[in-house]
Amino acid sequence: MFVHIRELAFKYPNAKESTIKDFNLTIDQGEIISILGESGSGKSTILRLIAGLEMPTNGNIMVGDHCMCSNSSFIQPEKRGVGMVFQDYALFPHMTVEDNIKFGLQKWPRKDKKERIGEVLELVNLEDYRKRYPFELSGGQQQRVALARALAPKPKLLLFDEPFSNLDADLQIRIREELRRIIKATGVTSIFVTHDQDDSQALADRIVVLRKGAVAQIGTPSEVLGTDCSFDERLPVKPRILSRV
Amino acid sequence: MKWFRTLKLTMNMWTVLSIIFVLLVLLPNLSIIVQFFSEPNENWLHIREYMLQQYIQNTLVLVLFVGFLTLVIGTSLAWIISAYDFPLRGFFQWGLILPLAIPPYIGAYTYHGILNYTGVIQTSLRNQFDMTVNQQYFNIMNMPGAIFILTIFLFPYVFTITKAFLARQSTALVENARILGSSSWRIYFKVVLPISRAAIIAGVSLVVLEVLNDYGVVSYYGIQTFTTAIFQTWFGMGDLQSAVKLAGTLMIIVLFLLVLERIFRGRRRYSFTTTKVKLLQPVKLEGKQKWLAFSYCSFIFLIAFLIPIAQLLHWATLTYKQFFSNEFWGLIWNSITVAFIAASMIVVIAVVISNFARLNRGMLAKTFPKVTILGYSIPGAVIAVGIVTFFTAIDRELFDFYEWLGLQPTLVISTSIFMLIFAYVIRYLAVGYNSIESGFDRIGTNFTEASRMLGMSVTKSFFKVDMKLIRGAIFGGFILAFIDIMKELPLTLILRPFNFDTLATKAYQYASDEMIHQAAIPSIIIVVVSAMAIYVFHHVLEKE
């Protein structure tokens, strides 16, 4: 067991109800997990809690042998060794692709830095775009830069917040395949949240269905989405591709 | 255990500095509140018995009339310019903001200079037409005169806020009213005024705060208000204790007005949402109406900007030699130095507090931004009293300390330029803060979070990412604060060290000493610099 989340709970200061209630999950090393839920189900909040961008009201998060947070301790996001790809990518607009990737490698020796930048750019097929600025790239390219930037410091765990929500439908399908290839090639443990069942099915080893801040179901894609017909009724989220047609 | 965890995490440099800065802003104000309740002396009993009523009455008359007149002029101009097209409309859109560049105290002595016995009007009548007029009709140095001056130089506050609101938010309602066949007067009273209530109240409140802050106009025209009374009891009678009581009373009035504003404005905010806006299409006016609209705008522009500027320029041609004296360059140097230091401090404090407020949740993060705005609502004279009492108290403590060290004990801080700069920072922190906060609002917290996920601490993220993205906002905040400080009068008059003059104090002093011509050049420099601020502000605003 690589990631171990126990009794996680979270409440925004002025909210009446908890956003996350008693969330438990264990993840094996190298596994790809998808957290599937409607908007407002608290799926992005879980990601932010694991990243350290929010402080839970209760619960423990362990990654590897390290306790990321408990009721008595809390490790700041910059010290966690967790990477994240943001929904809108959050590429620094005042830096080139190369500088964006280099940003996370500040403590690396110069030679290793250069090598690593080359490696990750090759991985995402953007070697020729080093000197470009984010606004000079297409949406799909920006996303790949964001992925390369998150992968560069070799995080123990990689988080994706709605990674496909800003992409066209056909691009979405292509990138999905590519993303799975890249993640599996690096062997990094990953969690991504989405509201799209197709995304979950194509990418994930296991799916966690979240409803109102609590786990409703956990299993492999076929267990969760494949055979269980009643699921669609319970989760009124249509696949994006269908809803666009 | 959990609170300890939270405490440990939130206690970083940003939090600690924010708390220190906020305390520094609050302490002088608290010092007034504490001393307000001290045992009254004989002077105060005298003031309360015989004079206080007059102060309150004059102050209220000024506030009410200036408030009402700026409301009428500001909203009517805003409506005419937003809804109709007529000759020079494009020019008036920004030209009618220009009166704001003339600080009312400069306007006050300029108009006095135009209208008095030796002024251009009376001398022309005497020399050209051999006419002598009754002085009574040309005396501006009275209550109606002060109301006139404050109205024509402050109405742009109401004008700009209402115009911005009308241009972006009223389109659907106004167009519907037009289709339904309402006349333009009916639309103005039945639609425009009610829907822009929040914007109008916001504008008028700014005017009212400026009127309460004013010292230059009322003291030049010899009207007893709270600010002049604070000056007199303090410097005339040498009674700081009673000055504190007056300041405290004025502070209570201001707080009361702020609460009143909240109630009137209701839950509506005057700022508009930045989502899709449809601009109001102006209707082209024809014939008599066209010239009526044009004349109205021209008349206001003439009396509120062109005439005083022309007069100042004329005086400047008589005294231009002054420009080459060392003393004059000393004034410019003083003005720039204090404004530069204070504006830099404002920017640093504003950045620290706004960065703290946006990255944290909870009570402190919510209340701190409100404290930064406090100083802008409180009249300069009140802040000055608070700061002097506060620093004298500190000096007294240090007095013993110096003695203990075996040094010659003197008053160090309360006679230094530091006190003045500190006062500027409190008074104009809001100006810098608003600009920087809106910069942070635009970039959101995503970049900071991305940077932290890549291993940078909050502080490193700020220097490597956030600061570079809000450079423009920081610069804008600096410029606006810098210029407000350059024009400032009451604080500077009270708190400047012995023999220290700025352009503003010197101009005011020349005018008070009946050397109006000599006041022209420093006044023009202040006006030009302020006009530049207006340009920067609206240029930045328009772009965004």
Side-chain angles (χ1 to χ4, degrees):
Chain A
M1 248 159 347
F2 186 64
V3 177
H4 197 145
I5 301 170
R6 228 176 44 208
E7 293 171 2
L8 196 65
F10 178 75
K11 184 172 164 295
Y12 283 99
N14 292 321
K16 279 183 197 141
E17 217 179 319
S18 293
T19 313
I20 305 294
K21 291 161 244 169
D22 192 29
F23 182 89
N24 293 286
L25 181 66
T26 53
I27 306 172
D28 287 331
Q29 187 140 24
E31 208 179 2
I32 304 178
I33 294 287
S34 161
I35 299 178
L36 181 64
E38 305 170 47
S39 62
S41 59
K43 55 190 192 306
S44 289
T45 309
I46 298 228
L47 221 54
R48 293 176 63 81
L49 285 165
I50 299 171
L53 296 170
E54 303 287 353
M55 198 189 299
T57 38
N58 188 40
N60 302 333
I61 299 173
M62 298 272 296
V63 177
D65 300 325
H66 301 281
C67 174
M68 293 296 152
C69 80
S70 69
N71 289 348
S72 60
S73 68
F74 183 89
I75 295 186
Q76 294 279 16
E78 61 265 27
K79 302 258 166 68
R80 290 192 174 195
V82 172
M84 185 156 174
V85 176
F86 287 78
Q87 186 170 6
D88 60 358
Y89 318 135
L91 295 175
F92 304 127
H94 59 301
M95 296 181 194
T96 59
V97 167
E98 190 177 13
D99 290 338
N100 260 288
I101 297 171
K102 201 158 63 180
F103 193 86
L105 304 175
Q106 50 158 343
K107 292 199 178 111
W108 290 40
R110 182 187 293 214
K111 202 172 130 256
D112 298 357
K113 255 187 215 177
K114 220 176 147 197
E115 215 170 279
R116 183 65 182 157
I117 294 169
E119 262 172 41
V120 290
L121 279 174
E122 197 187 326
L123 197 65
V124 298
N125 263 326
L126 284 173
E127 292 107 313
D128 302 334
Y129 293 83
R130 274 173 190 267
K131 299 288 175 201
R132 298 277 189 97
Y133 282 91
F135 66 87
E136 297 171 320
L137 302 174
S138 71
Q141 288 166 338
Q142 285 184 17
Q143 195 199 31
R144 271 142 62 198
V145 175
L147 176 62
R149 184 177 72 174
L151 279 171
K154 298 194 171 165
K156 292 178 280 187
L157 177 65
L158 194 52
L159 310 171
F160 296 84
D161 190 5
E162 297 270 6
F164 308 110
S165 64
N166 283 331
L167 299 176
D168 293 335
D170 51 339
L171 198 59
Q172 185 179 5
I173 298 171
R174 266 197 297 135
I175 286 203
R176 220 151 51 188
E177 306 301 328
E178 204 185 328
L179 186 62
R180 187 171 165 90
R181 173 187 68 78
I182 294 171
I183 296 175
K184 285 295 175 191
T186 56
V188 63
T189 313
S190 311
I191 304 173
F192 69 97
V193 308
T194 181
H195 60 271
D196 187 331
Q197 299 179 15
D198 284 357
D199 285 348
S200 291
Q201 192 154 29
L203 256 169
D205 297 325
R206 269 193 305 151
I207 296 176
V208 178
V209 178
L210 199 66
R211 202 170 296 132
K212 287 185 180 162
V215 177
Q217 204 179 356
I218 301 184
T220 62
S222 56
E223 283 168 2
V224 175
L225 301 171
T227 48
D228 188 359
C229 298
S230 63
F231 177 78
D232 275 347
E233 292 157 22
R234 279 186 280 143
L235 192 79
V237 184
K238 294 218 171 58
R240 279 170 69 90
I241 304 168
L242 287 180
S243 64
R244 272 169 189 270
V245 175
Chain B
M1 225 32 200
K2 273 187 206 164
W3 66 263
F4 184 68
R5 179 188 72 172
T6 316
L7 187 75
K8 211 170 80 185
L9 279 170
T10 43
M11 268 305 149
N12 55 30
M13 190 190 84
W14 297 88
T15 315
V16 173
L17 283 179
S18 295
I19 292 173
I20 293 173
F21 291 151
V22 165
L23 281 180
L24 282 176
V25 172
L26 275 180
L27 280 174
N29 295 309
L30 290 178
S31 119
I32 288 184
I33 293 173
V34 170
Q35 294 183 60
F36 181 68
F37 295 105
S38 67
E39 195 70 19
N41 60 16
E42 258 175 50
N43 265 342
W44 174 248
L45 294 176
H46 175 82
I47 291 170
R48 203 178 57 190
E49 188 73 28
Y50 301 105
M51 288 141 94
L52 192 61
Q53 201 190 346
Q54 185 67 38
Y55 300 155
I56 293 181
Q57 200 181 327
N58 282 344
T59 307
L60 281 183
V61 168
L62 263 184
V63 162
L64 281 177
F65 275 92
V66 175
F68 177 73
L69 290 173
T70 52
L71 186 152
V72 171
I73 295 174
T75 53
S76 59
L77 284 173
W79 168 238
I80 291 171
I81 284 181
S82 313
Y84 300 105
D85 196 9
F86 52 91
L88 286 185
R89 170 179 178 263
F91 164 75
F92 287 129
Q93 281 202 329
W94 62 271
L96 286 171
I97 309 171
L98 283 177
L100 219 49
I102 305 178
Y105 63 90
I106 292 180
Y109 53 70
T110 308
Y111 262 102
H112 171 63
I114 294 173
L115 293 171
N116 69 11
Y117 187 74
T118 53
V120 59
I121 295 180
Q122 293 205 37
T123 40
S124 303
L125 286 176
R126 270 198 310 275
N127 299 342
Q128 256 53 275
F129 304 99
D130 206 21
M131 272 169 68
T132 326
V133 291
N134 186 346
Q135 291 305 312
Q136 201 185 323
Y137 299 124
F138 280 79
N139 181 16
I140 193 176
M141 297 179 79
N142 46 32
M143 182 59 99
I147 292 171
F148 167 75
I149 294 291
L150 289 168
T151 302
I152 60 170
F153 295 114
L154 294 178
F155 82 84
Y157 281 118
V158 185
F159 169 69
T160 40
I161 295 180
T162 315
K163 184 170 74 91
F165 174 84
L166 284 177
R168 289 161 173 251
Q169 294 273 289
S170 67
T171 311
L173 291 167
V174 171
E175 282 177 353
N176 263 312
R178 276 177 182 161
I179 290 165
L180 291 169
S182 294
S183 74
S184 57
W185 285 109
R186 216 177 115 85
I187 296 177
Y188 179 66
F189 284 107
K190 295 275 173 187
V191 180
V192 172
L193 287 184
I195 59 168
S196 35
R197 190 185 71 176
I200 295 169
I201 288 168
V204 172
S205 326
L206 281 176
V207 170
V208 167
L209 291 176
E210 286 290 334
V211 172
L212 290 175
N213 176 52
D214 173 72
Y215 169 74
V217 178
V218 284
S219 96
Y220 193 72
Y221 283 4
I223 295 161
Q224 292 283 345
T225 62
F226 265 102
T227 39
T228 58
I230 290 171
F231 269 76
Q232 266 165 20
T233 30
W234 191 353
F235 294 111
M237 305 188 211
D239 180 5
L240 184 56
Q241 207 192 343
S242 299
V244 170
K245 300 242 177 218
L246 283 168
T249 317
L250 181 53
M251 202 153 97
I252 291 167
I253 294 178
V254 168
L255 292 178
F256 172 73
L257 284 173
L258 289 179
V259 173
L260 210 66
E261 191 230 344
R262 271 285 146 83
I263 295 170
F264 272 125
R265 210 164 74 187
R267 274 183 294 137
R268 270 186 279 182
R269 298 191 45 187
Y270 61 89
S271 61
F272 26 77
T273 48
T274 49
T275 50
K276 267 186 196 166
V277 279
K278 192 174 163 228
L279 296 179
L280 186 62
Q281 283 303 316
V283 175
K284 219 174 162 65
L285 287 179
E286 294 298 338
K288 210 172 75 185
Q289 282 186 322
K290 178 169 87 176
W291 296 110
L292 216 61
F294 172 76
S295 312
Y296 180 45
C297 293
S298 304
F299 174 69
I300 299 286
F301 181 72
L302 216 62
I303 59 167
F305 190 74
L306 214 52
I307 290 177
I309 289 295
Q311 178 66 79
L312 282 174
L313 285 173
H314 173 67
W315 287 336
T317 59
L318 305 174
T319 54
Y320 70 94
K321 284 205 183 99
Q322 181 187 32
F323 198 72
F324 302 106
S325 71
N326 281 335
E327 195 207 343
F328 185 73
W329 284 97
L331 291 181
I332 295 187
W333 171 251
N334 284 350
S335 287
I336 289 179
T337 319
V338 285
F340 185 86
I341 297 173
S344 308
M345 285 170 68
I346 285 174
V347 165
V348 171
I349 294 175
V351 161
V352 169
I353 298 180
S354 56
N355 198 37
F356 164 77
R358 89 191 170 112
L359 295 179
N360 288 282
R361 292 204 194 94
M363 274 293 287
L364 291 187
K366 266 195 187 156
T367 42
F368 279 10
K370 290 184 184 126
V371 174
T372 62
I373 297 167
L374 192 72
Y376 202 66
S377 322
I378 295 176
V382 178
I383 292 179
V385 171
I387 285 188
V388 164
T389 51
F390 178 60
F391 277 110
T392 337
I394 291 182
D395 256 351
R396 249 183 242 127
E397 296 297 316
L398 288 177
F399 208 81
D400 297 337
F401 178 69
Y402 290 137
E403 223 162 27
W404 183 74
L405 280 180
L407 294 170
Q408 183 72 30
T410 42
L411 291 175
V412 181
I413 308 172
S414 52
T415 53
S416 74
I417 189 82
F418 179 72
M419 208 162 63
L420 178 61
I421 290 174
F422 189 76
Y424 286 146
V425 171
I426 293 184
R427 171 102 175 108
Y428 295 110
L429 183 55
V431 178
Y433 189 87
N434 281 341
S435 171
I436 288 165
E437 189 188 41
S438 70
F440 271 134
D441 277 351
R442 257 196 319 281
I443 64 166
T445 53
N446 265 1
F447 294 117
T448 321
E449 289 179 349
S451 162
R452 296 195 70 191
M453 295 309 296
L454 292 165
M456 297 283 181
S457 65
V458 175
T459 309
K460 271 192 182 162
S461 300
F462 172 76
F463 285 110
K464 292 203 163 209
V465 179
D466 303 322
M467 195 174 88
K468 299 208 163 125
L469 296 177
I470 60 160
R471 261 186 316 213
I474 293 179
F475 180 69
F478 176 85
I479 292 288
L480 291 177
F482 182 89
I483 282 152
D484 263 342
I485 294 168
M486 267 194 91
K487 320 196 284 198
E488 209 286 333
L489 189 64
L491 274 181
T492 323
L493 279 179
I494 299 182
L495 295 175
R496 65 194 168 139
F498 188 65
N499 260 350
F500 181 89
D501 267 304
T502 64
L503 286 171
T505 59
K506 201 69 188 177
Y508 185 75
Q509 210 175 322
Y510 278 135
S512 309
D513 295 346
E514 294 298 322
M515 295 162 75
I516 288 186
H517 298 184
Q518 269 74 10
I521 287 187
S523 306
I524 285 174
I525 294 179
I526 293 173
V527 172
V528 168
V529 172
S530 312
M532 270 161 40
I534 291 172
Y535 174 76
V536 167
F537 189 67
H538 286 273
H539 190 69
V540 172
L541 208 76
E542 225 93 288
K543 252 183 156 179
E544 282 155 11

